[in-house]
Coordinates of all heavy atoms in Angstrom, one line a residue:
M6 N 120.8 126.2 65.0 CA 120.8 127.6 64.7 C 121.2 128.4 65.9 O 120.5 128.2 67.0 CB 119.5 128.0 64.1 CG 119.4 129.4 63.7 SD 117.8 129.6 62.9 CE 117.8 131.4 62.7
R7 N 122.1 129.2 65.9 CA 122.5 130.1 67.0 C 121.6 131.3 67.2 O 121.2 131.9 66.2 CB 123.9 130.6 66.8 CG 125.0 129.5 67.1 CD 126.3 130.0 66.9 NE 126.7 130.7 68.2 CZ 127.9 130.8 68.6 NH1 128.9 130.2 68.0 NH2 128.1 131.4 69.7
K8 N 121.3 131.6 68.4 CA 120.5 132.7 68.7 C 121.4 134.0 68.9 O 122.4 133.9 69.5 CB 119.7 132.5 69.9 CG 118.7 133.6 70.2 CD 117.8 133.2 71.4 CE 116.8 134.3 71.6 NZ 115.9 133.9 72.7
S9 N 121.0 135.0 68.3 CA 121.8 136.3 68.4 C 121.2 137.2 69.5 O 119.9 137.3 69.5 CB 121.9 137.0 67.1 OG 122.5 136.3 66.1
Y10 N 122.0 137.7 70.4 CA 121.5 138.6 71.4 C 122.0 140.0 71.1 O 123.1 140.2 70.7 CB 122.0 138.1 72.8 CG 121.5 136.8 73.2 CD1 122.3 135.6 73.1 CD2 120.3 136.6 73.8 CE1 121.9 134.4 73.5 CE2 119.8 135.4 74.1 CZ 120.6 134.3 74.0 OH 120.1 133.0 74.4
T11 N 121.1 140.9 71.5 CA 121.4 142.3 71.3 C 121.7 143.1 72.6 O 122.2 144.2 72.6 CB 120.3 143.1 70.5 OG1 119.1 142.9 71.2 CG2 120.2 142.5 69.1
S12 N 121.3 142.4 73.7 CA 121.6 143.0 75.0 C 121.8 141.9 76.1 O 121.5 140.8 75.9 CB 120.4 143.9 75.4 OG 119.3 143.1 75.7
F13 N 122.4 142.4 77.2 CA 122.6 141.5 78.3 C 121.2 141.1 79.0 O 121.1 140.0 79.6 CB 123.5 142.1 79.4 CG 124.9 142.1 78.9 CD1 125.6 143.3 78.6 CD2 125.6 140.9 78.8 CE1 126.9 143.3 78.2 CE2 127.0 140.9 78.4 CZ 127.6 142.1 78.1
E14 N 120.3 141.9 78.8 CA 118.9 141.6 79.4 C 118.4 140.4 78.7 O 117.8 139.5 79.4 CB 118.0 142.8 79.2 CG 118.3 143.9 80.2 CD 117.3 145.1 79.9 OE1 116.3 144.9 79.2 OE2 117.6 146.2 80.5
Q15 N 118.5 140.2 77.4 CA 118.0 139.1 76.7 C 118.8 137.8 77.2 O 118.2 136.8 77.4 CB 118.2 139.2 75.2 CG 117.3 140.2 74.6 CD 117.6 140.4 73.1 OE1 118.7 140.2 72.6 NE2 116.5 140.9 72.4
I16 N 120.1 137.9 77.4 CA 120.9 136.8 77.8 C 120.4 136.4 79.2 O 120.2 135.2 79.5 CB 122.4 137.2 77.8 CG1 122.9 137.4 76.4 CG2 123.2 136.1 78.5 CD1 124.3 138.0 76.3
N17 N 120.3 137.4 80.1 CA 119.8 137.1 81.5 C 118.5 136.4 81.5 O 118.2 135.5 82.3 CB 119.9 138.3 82.4 CG 121.3 138.7 82.7 OD1 122.2 137.9 82.7 ND2 121.5 140.0 82.9
H18 N 117.6 136.9 80.6 CA 116.2 136.4 80.6 C 116.3 134.9 80.2 O 115.6 134.1 80.8 CB 115.4 137.2 79.6 CG 114.0 136.7 79.5 ND1 113.5 135.9 78.5 CD2 112.9 137.0 80.3 CE1 112.3 135.7 78.6 NE2 111.8 136.3 79.7
D19 N 117.0 134.6 79.1 CA 117.2 133.2 78.7 C 117.8 132.3 79.7 O 117.4 131.2 79.9 CB 117.9 133.1 77.4 CG 117.0 133.5 76.2 OD1 115.8 133.7 76.3 OD2 117.6 133.5 75.0
L20 N 118.8 132.9 80.4 CA 119.5 132.1 81.5 C 118.5 131.8 82.6 O 118.5 130.7 83.2 CB 120.7 132.9 82.0 CG 121.9 132.9 81.1 CD1 123.0 133.8 81.7 CD2 122.4 131.4 81.0
Q21 N 117.6 132.8 82.9 CA 116.6 132.6 84.0 C 115.7 131.5 83.6 O 115.3 130.6 84.4 CB 115.9 133.9 84.3 CG 114.9 133.8 85.4 CD 114.3 135.1 85.7 OE1 114.3 136.0 84.9 NE2 113.6 135.2 86.9
I22 N 115.2 131.5 82.3 CA 114.3 130.5 81.8 C 115.0 129.1 81.9 O 114.4 128.1 82.3 CB 113.9 130.8 80.4 CG1 113.0 132.0 80.4 CG2 113.2 129.6 79.7 CD1 112.6 132.5 79.0
L23 N 116.3 129.0 81.5 CA 117.0 127.7 81.6 C 117.1 127.2 83.0 O 117.0 126.0 83.3 CB 118.4 127.9 80.9 CG 118.3 128.0 79.4 CD1 119.7 128.4 78.9 CD2 117.8 126.8 78.7
R24 N 117.4 128.1 84.0 CA 117.5 127.7 85.4 C 116.2 127.2 85.9 O 116.1 126.1 86.6 CB 117.9 128.9 86.2 CG 119.3 129.3 86.2 CD 119.7 130.4 87.2 NE 120.9 131.0 86.8 CZ 120.9 132.3 86.3 NH1 119.8 133.0 86.2 NH2 122.1 132.8 85.9
I25 N 115.1 127.8 85.5 CA 113.7 127.3 85.9 C 113.4 126.0 85.3 O 112.9 125.1 85.9 CB 112.7 128.4 85.6 CG1 112.9 129.6 86.5 CG2 111.3 127.8 85.8 CD1 112.0 130.8 86.0
E26 N 113.7 125.8 84.0 CA 113.5 124.5 83.3 C 114.4 123.4 84.0 O 113.9 122.3 84.2 CB 113.9 124.6 81.8 CG 112.8 125.4 81.0 CD 113.3 125.6 79.6 OE1 114.4 125.3 79.2 OE2 112.4 126.0 78.8
R27 N 115.6 123.8 84.3 CA 116.5 122.8 85.0 C 115.9 122.4 86.3 O 115.8 121.2 86.7 CB 117.9 123.4 85.2 CG 118.8 122.4 85.8 CD 120.2 122.9 86.0 NE 120.1 124.0 87.0 CZ 121.1 124.8 87.3 NH1 122.3 124.7 86.7 NH2 121.0 125.8 88.2
E28 N 115.3 123.3 87.1 CA 114.7 123.0 88.4 C 113.5 122.2 88.2 O 113.3 121.2 89.0 CB 114.4 124.3 89.1 CG 113.8 124.1 90.5 CD 114.7 123.5 91.5 OE1 115.9 123.6 91.4 OE2 114.2 122.8 92.4
I29 N 112.7 122.4 87.2 CA 111.5 121.6 86.9 C 111.9 120.2 86.6 O 111.3 119.2 87.2 CB 110.7 122.2 85.8 CG1 110.0 123.5 86.2 CG2 109.6 121.2 85.3 CD1 109.4 124.3 85.1
H30 N 112.9 120.0 85.8 CA 113.4 118.7 85.4 C 113.9 117.9 86.7 O 113.7 116.8 86.9 CB 114.4 118.7 84.3 CG 113.8 119.1 83.0 ND1 112.9 118.3 82.3 CD2 114.0 120.2 82.2 CE1 112.6 118.9 81.2 NE2 113.2 120.1 81.1
Y31 N 114.7 118.7 87.5 CA 115.2 118.1 88.7 C 114.1 117.6 89.7 O 114.2 116.5 90.2 CB 116.1 119.2 89.4 CG 116.7 118.7 90.7 CD1 117.8 117.9 90.8 CD2 116.1 119.2 91.9 CE1 118.3 117.5 92.0 CE2 116.7 118.8 93.1 CZ 117.8 117.9 93.2 OH 118.3 117.5 94.3
Q32 N 113.0 118.4 89.8 CA 111.9 118.1 90.6 C 111.2 116.8 90.1 O 110.7 116.0 90.8 CB 110.9 119.2 90.8 CG 111.5 120.4 91.6 CD 111.9 120.0 93.0 OE1 111.2 119.1 93.6 NE2 112.9 120.6 93.6
K33 N 111.0 116.8 88.7 CA 110.4 115.6 88.1 C 111.2 114.3 88.4 O 110.6 113.3 88.7 CB 110.3 115.8 86.6 CG 109.2 116.8 86.2 CD 109.1 116.9 84.7 CE 108.0 117.8 84.3 NZ 107.8 117.9 82.8
I34 N 112.5 114.4 88.3 CA 113.4 113.3 88.6 C 113.2 112.9 90.1 O 113.1 111.7 90.4 CB 114.8 113.6 88.3 CG1 115.0 113.7 86.8 CG2 115.8 112.5 88.9 CD1 116.4 114.2 86.3
N35 N 113.2 113.8 91.0 CA 113.0 113.5 92.4 C 111.6 112.8 92.6 O 111.5 111.9 93.4 CB 113.1 114.7 93.3 CG 114.6 115.1 93.5 OD1 115.5 114.3 93.4 ND2 114.8 116.3 93.9
M36 N 110.6 113.3 92.0 CA 109.3 112.8 92.2 C 109.2 111.3 91.6 O 108.6 110.4 92.3 CB 108.2 113.6 91.5 CG 107.9 114.9 92.2 SD 106.8 116.0 91.3 CE 105.5 115.0 90.9
A37 N 109.9 111.1 90.5 CA 109.9 109.8 89.9 C 110.7 108.8 90.8 O 110.3 107.6 91.0 CB 110.6 109.8 88.5
L38 N 111.8 109.2 91.4 CA 112.5 108.4 92.4 C 111.7 108.1 93.6 O 111.7 106.9 94.1 CB 113.8 109.1 92.8 CG 114.9 109.1 91.7 CD1 116.1 109.9 92.2 CD2 115.4 107.7 91.4
E39 N 111.0 109.1 94.1 CA 110.2 108.8 95.3 C 109.0 107.8 95.0 O 108.7 106.9 95.8 CB 109.6 110.1 95.8 CG 110.6 111.0 96.5 CD 111.2 110.4 97.7 OE1 110.5 109.7 98.5 OE2 112.4 110.5 97.9
Q40 N 108.5 108.0 93.8 CA 107.4 107.0 93.4 C 108.0 105.6 93.2 O 107.4 104.6 93.6 CB 106.8 107.5 92.1 CG 105.6 106.7 91.7 CD 105.0 107.2 90.4 OE1 105.5 108.1 89.8 NE2 103.9 106.5 90.0
L41 N 109.2 105.5 92.7 CA 109.8 104.2 92.5 C 110.1 103.6 93.9 O 109.9 102.4 94.1 CB 111.1 104.4 91.7 CG 111.9 103.1 91.4 CD1 111.1 102.1 90.6 CD2 113.2 103.4 90.8
K42 N 110.6 104.4 94.8 CA 110.9 103.9 96.2 C 109.6 103.3 96.8 O 109.6 102.3 97.4 CB 111.4 105.0 97.1 CG 112.9 105.3 96.8 CD 113.3 106.4 97.8 CE 114.7 106.9 97.4 NZ 115.1 108.0 98.3
E43 N 108.5 104.1 96.6 CA 107.2 103.7 97.2 C 106.7 102.4 96.6 O 106.2 101.5 97.3 CB 106.2 104.8 97.0 CG 104.9 104.6 97.7 CD 103.9 105.7 97.6 OE1 104.4 106.9 97.8 OE2 102.8 105.5 97.3
E44 N 106.8 102.3 95.2 CA 106.3 101.2 94.5 C 107.1 99.9 94.8 O 106.5 98.8 94.8 CB 106.2 101.4 93.0 CG 105.2 102.4 92.6 CD 105.2 102.8 91.2 OE1 106.1 102.3 90.5 OE2 104.3 103.5 90.7
T45 N 108.4 100.1 95.1 CA 109.2 98.9 95.3 C 109.4 98.6 96.8 O 110.2 97.7 97.2 CB 110.6 99.1 94.7 OG1 111.2 100.3 95.2 CG2 110.5 99.2 93.2
A46 N 108.6 99.2 97.7 CA 108.6 98.9 99.1 C 108.0 97.5 99.2 O 107.1 97.1 98.5 CB 107.8 99.9 99.9
P47 N 108.6 96.6 100.1 CA 108.2 95.2 100.2 C 106.6 95.1 100.4 O 106.0 94.2 99.8 CB 108.9 94.7 101.5 CG 110.1 95.6 101.5 CD 109.7 96.9 101.0
Q48 N 106.0 95.9 101.3 CA 104.6 95.8 101.5 C 103.8 96.1 100.3 O 102.8 95.4 100.0 CB 104.1 96.6 102.7 CG 104.2 98.1 102.5 CD 105.6 98.7 103.0 OE1 106.5 98.0 103.2 NE2 105.6 100.0 103.2
N49 N 104.3 97.0 99.4 CA 103.5 97.3 98.2 C 103.7 96.2 97.2 O 102.8 96.0 96.4 CB 104.0 98.7 97.7 CG 103.4 99.8 98.5 OD1 102.4 99.7 99.2 ND2 104.1 101.0 98.4
I50 N 104.9 95.6 97.1 CA 105.1 94.5 96.1 C 104.2 93.4 96.5 O 103.5 92.8 95.6 CB 106.6 94.1 96.2 CG1 107.5 95.2 95.6 CG2 106.8 92.8 95.4 CD1 108.9 94.9 95.6
I51 N 104.1 93.0 97.8 CA 103.2 91.9 98.2 C 101.8 92.3 97.9 O 101.0 91.5 97.4 CB 103.4 91.6 99.7 CG1 104.8 91.1 99.9 CG2 102.4 90.7 100.2 CD1 105.2 90.9 101.3
K52 N 101.4 93.5 98.2 CA 100.0 93.9 98.0 C 99.6 93.9 96.5 O 98.6 93.4 96.1 CB 99.8 95.3 98.5 CG 98.3 95.8 98.4 CD 98.2 97.2 99.1 CE 98.5 98.2 98.1 NZ 98.3 99.6 98.6
N53 N 100.5 94.4 95.7 CA 100.3 94.4 94.2 C 100.2 93.0 93.7 O 99.4 92.6 92.8 CB 101.3 95.2 93.5 CG 101.2 96.7 93.8 OD1 100.1 97.1 94.2 ND2 102.2 97.4 93.6
T54 N 101.1 92.1 94.2 CA 101.2 90.7 93.7 C 99.9 90.0 94.1 O 99.3 89.3 93.2 CB 102.4 90.0 94.2 OG1 103.6 90.7 93.9 CG2 102.5 88.6 93.7
L55 N 99.5 90.1 95.3 CA 98.3 89.4 95.8 C 97.0 90.0 95.0 O 96.1 89.3 94.7 CB 98.1 89.6 97.3 CG 99.1 88.8 98.1 CD1 98.9 89.1 99.6 CD2 99.1 87.3 97.8
G56 N 97.0 91.3 94.8 CA 95.9 91.9 94.1 C 95.8 91.4 92.7 O 94.8 91.1 92.2
S57 N 97.0 91.3 92.0 CA 97.0 90.8 90.6 C 96.5 89.3 90.6 O 95.8 88.9 89.7 CB 98.4 90.9 90.1 OG 98.8 92.2 90.0
A58 N 97.0 88.5 91.6 CA 96.6 87.1 91.6 C 95.1 87.0 91.9 O 94.4 86.2 91.3 CB 97.4 86.4 92.7
G59 N 94.6 87.8 92.8 CA 93.2 87.8 93.1 C 92.3 88.2 91.9 O 91.3 87.5 91.6
S60 N 92.7 89.2 91.1 CA 92.0 89.6 90.0 C 92.1 88.5 88.9 O 91.1 88.3 88.1 CB 92.4 91.0 89.4 OG 93.7 90.9 88.9
L61 N 93.2 87.9 88.8 CA 93.3 86.8 87.8 C 92.4 85.7 88.1 O 91.7 85.1 87.3 CB 94.8 86.3 87.8 CG 95.1 85.1 86.9 CD1 94.9 85.5 85.5 CD2 96.4 84.5 87.2
L62 N 92.3 85.3 89.4 CA 91.4 84.2 89.8 C 89.9 84.6 89.7 O 89.1 83.8 89.2 CB 91.6 83.9 91.3 CG 92.9 83.1 91.6 CD1 93.1 82.9 93.1 CD2 92.9 81.8 90.8
R63 N 89.6 85.9 89.9 CA 88.2 86.3 89.8 C 87.8 86.4 88.3 O 86.6 86.1 88.0 CB 88.0 87.7 90.4 CG 87.7 87.7 91.9 CD 87.5 89.1 92.4 NE 88.7 89.5 93.1 CZ 89.4 90.5 92.8 NH1 89.1 91.3 91.9 NH2 90.5 90.8 93.5
N64 N 88.7 86.7 87.4 CA 88.3 86.9 86.0 C 88.5 85.6 85.2 O 88.3 85.7 84.0 CB 89.1 88.0 85.4 CG 88.8 89.3 86.1 OD1 87.7 89.5 86.6 ND2 89.7 90.3 86.2
S65 N 89.0 84.5 85.7 CA 89.3 83.4 84.9 C 88.6 82.1 85.5 O 89.0 81.6 86.5 CB 90.8 83.2 84.9 OG 91.1 82.0 84.2
G66 N 87.6 81.7 84.8 CA 86.9 80.5 85.3 C 87.8 79.3 85.2 O 87.7 78.4 86.1
G67 N 88.6 79.2 84.2 CA 89.5 78.0 84.0 C 90.5 77.9 85.2 O 90.7 76.8 85.7
V68 N 91.1 79.0 85.6 CA 92.0 79.0 86.7 C 91.3 78.6 88.0 O 91.8 77.8 88.8 CB 92.7 80.3 86.8 CG1 93.6 80.3 88.1 CG2 93.6 80.6 85.6
Q69 N 90.1 79.1 88.2 CA 89.3 78.8 89.4 C 89.0 77.3 89.4 O 89.2 76.6 90.5 CB 88.0 79.6 89.4 CG 88.2 81.0 89.8 CD 86.9 81.8 89.7 OE1 85.9 81.2 89.2 NE2 86.9 83.0 90.2
T70 N 88.6 76.7 88.3 CA 88.3 75.3 88.2 C 89.5 74.5 88.5 O 89.5 73.5 89.3 CB 87.8 75.0 86.8 OG1 86.6 75.8 86.6 CG2 87.4 73.5 86.7
L71 N 90.7 74.8 88.0 CA 91.9 74.1 88.2 C 92.3 74.2 89.7 O 92.7 73.2 90.3 CB 93.0 74.7 87.3 CG 94.4 74.1 87.5 CD1 94.4 72.6 87.1 CD2 95.4 74.9 86.7
L72 N 92.2 75.3 90.3 CA 92.5 75.5 91.7 C 91.6 74.7 92.6 O 92.1 74.0 93.5 CB 92.5 77.0 92.0 CG 93.1 77.4 93.3 CD1 94.6 77.1 93.3 CD2 92.9 78.9 93.5
V73 N 90.3 74.8 92.4 CA 89.4 74.0 93.2 C 89.6 72.5 93.0 O 89.6 71.8 94.0 CB 87.9 74.4 92.8 CG1 86.9 73.5 93.5 CG2 87.6 75.8 93.2
T74 N 89.8 72.1 91.8 CA 90.1 70.6 91.6 C 91.3 70.2 92.3 O 91.3 69.1 92.9 CB 90.2 70.4 90.0 OG1 89.0 70.9 89.4 CG2 90.4 68.9 89.8
S75 N 92.4 71.0 92.2 CA 93.6 70.6 92.9 C 93.5 70.5 94.4 O 94.0 69.6 95.0 CB 94.7 71.6 92.5 OG 95.0 71.6 91.2
I76 N 92.7 71.5 95.0 CA 92.5 71.5 96.4 C 91.7 70.3 96.8 O 92.0 69.6 97.8 CB 91.8 72.8 96.8 CG1 92.8 74.0 96.7 CG2 91.3 72.7 98.3 CD1 92.2 75.3 96.9
L77 N 90.6 70.0 96.0 CA 89.8 68.8 96.3 C 90.6 67.5 96.3 O 90.5 66.6 97.1 CB 88.6 68.7 95.4 CG 87.5 69.8 95.7 CD1 86.4 69.7 94.6 CD2 86.9 69.6 97.0
K78 N 91.5 67.4 95.2 CA 92.3 66.2 95.1 C 93.3 66.0 96.3 O 93.5 64.9 96.8 CB 93.1 66.2 93.8 CG 92.4 65.9 92.6 CD 93.3 66.0 91.4 CE 92.5 65.7 90.1 NZ 93.4 65.8 88.9
Y79 N 93.8 67.1 96.8 CA 94.7 67.1 97.9 C 94.0 66.6 99.2 O 94.5 65.7 99.9 CB 95.2 68.5 98.2 CG 96.0 68.7 99.5 CD1 97.3 68.2 99.6 CD2 95.4 69.3 100.6 CE1 98.0 68.3 100.8 CE2 96.1 69.4 101.8 CZ 97.4 68.9 101.9 OH 98.0 69.0 103.1
F80 N 92.8 67.1 99.4 CA 92.0 66.7 100.6 C 91.6 65.2 100.5 O 91.6 64.5 101.5 CB 90.9 67.6 100.9 CG 91.3 68.9 101.5 CD1 91.1 70.1 100.9 CD2 91.9 68.9 102.8 CE1 91.4 71.3 101.5 CE2 92.2 70.1 103.4 CZ 92.0 71.3 102.7
I81 N 91.2 64.8 99.3 CA 90.8 63.4 99.1 C 91.9 62.5 99.4 O 91.8 61.5 100.1 CB 90.2 63.2 97.7 CG1 88.8 63.9 97.6 CG2 90.0 61.7 97.4 CD1 88.3 64.0 96.2
R82 N 93.1 62.8 98.9 CA 94.3 62.0 99.1 C 94.7 62.0 100.6 O 95.1 60.9 101.1 CB 95.5 62.5 98.3 CG 95.3 62.2 96.8 CD 96.5 62.6 96.0 NE 96.3 62.5 94.6 CZ 96.8 63.3 93.7 NH1 97.6 64.3 94.0 NH2 96.5 63.1 92.4
K83 N 94.5 63.1 101.2 CA 94.9 63.2 102.6 C 94.0 62.4 103.5 O 94.4 61.7 104.4 CB 94.9 64.7 103.0 CG 95.4 64.9 104.5 CD 95.5 66.4 104.8 CE 96.1 66.5 106.2 NZ 96.3 67.9 106.5
F84 N 92.7 62.4 103.2 CA 91.7 61.6 104.1 C 91.7 60.2 103.7 O 91.2 59.4 104.5 CB 90.3 62.2 103.9 CG 90.2 63.6 104.6 CD1 89.9 64.7 103.9 CD2 90.4 63.7 106.0 CE1 89.7 65.9 104.5 CE2 90.3 64.9 106.6 CZ 90.0 66.0 105.9
R85 N 92.2 59.7 102.6 CA 92.2 58.3 102.2 C 93.3 57.6 103.0 O 93.1 56.4 103.3 CB 92.5 58.1 100.7 CG 91.3 58.3 99.9 CD 91.6 57.9 98.5 NE 90.4 58.0 97.6 CZ 90.5 57.8 96.3 NH1 91.6 57.5 95.7 NH2 89.3 57.9 95.7
K86 N 94.3 58.2 103.4 CA 95.4 57.6 104.2 C 95.1 57.3 105.6 O 94.4 57.4 106.3 CB 96.7 58.5 104.1 CG 97.2 58.6 102.8 CD 98.5 59.4 102.8 CE 99.1 59.6 101.4 NZ 100.3 60.3 101.4

C-alpha cells in the first residue's frame, strides 16, 4: 500500500526516520562483525574449546572413567617394558 503525502514536511520526516533506521541497522551489523572477530580470535577459540572439554569431563562420569583407565593402561605398559 502506498503512502500519500500532503506536504514536503511529511516526506522529510519519513526520510529522516529511514536514515536513522538505516544507521541503526548499520551499527548492528558492525557490532555483530566485531563480536564475530572477537569470538574467532585464536586465543578465544582455544579457551572455548578447553572450557567445553573441561565441562564435558566434569559432568560425565563415563568419560572420566574412560580417560583414567586409558591413562593407567598407558603407564602400566610403559613401566612393564
Side-chain angles (χ1 to χ4, degrees):
M6 183 172 170
R7 284 183 81 148
K8 185 172 181 179
S9 297
Y10 295 101
T11 57
S12 71
F13 285 110
E14 287 179 14
Q15 289 177 337
I16 295 171
N17 288 334
H18 183 261
D19 280 357
L20 286 174
Q21 185 178 14
I22 290 172
L23 290 172
R24 280 187 205 108
I25 292 170
E26 287 176 348
R27 182 180 66 187
E28 181 65 27
I29 290 170
H30 291 295
Y31 178 77
Q32 293 299 327
K33 284 182 180 181
I34 290 170
N35 280 341
M36 287 173 52
L38 284 174
E39 288 299 318
Q40 184 179 5
L41 180 63
K42 284 181 190 177
E43 185 177 315
E44 289 174 357
T45 57
Q48 65 269 17
N49 287 337
I50 291 174
I51 292 169
K52 184 176 87 175
N53 291 340
T54 303
L55 292 177
S57 297
S60 67
L61 175 68
L62 289 175
R63 273 184 257 119
N64 297 332
S65 176
V68 174
Q69 286 177 349
T70 304
L71 177 65
L72 195 60
V73 169
T74 305
S75 299
I76 291 170
L77 288 175
K78 283 181 182 179
Y79 170 78
F80 283 116
I81 289 171
R82 288 182 188 149
K83 186 173 181 175
F84 288 119
R85 278 190 178 173
K86 292 181 181 180

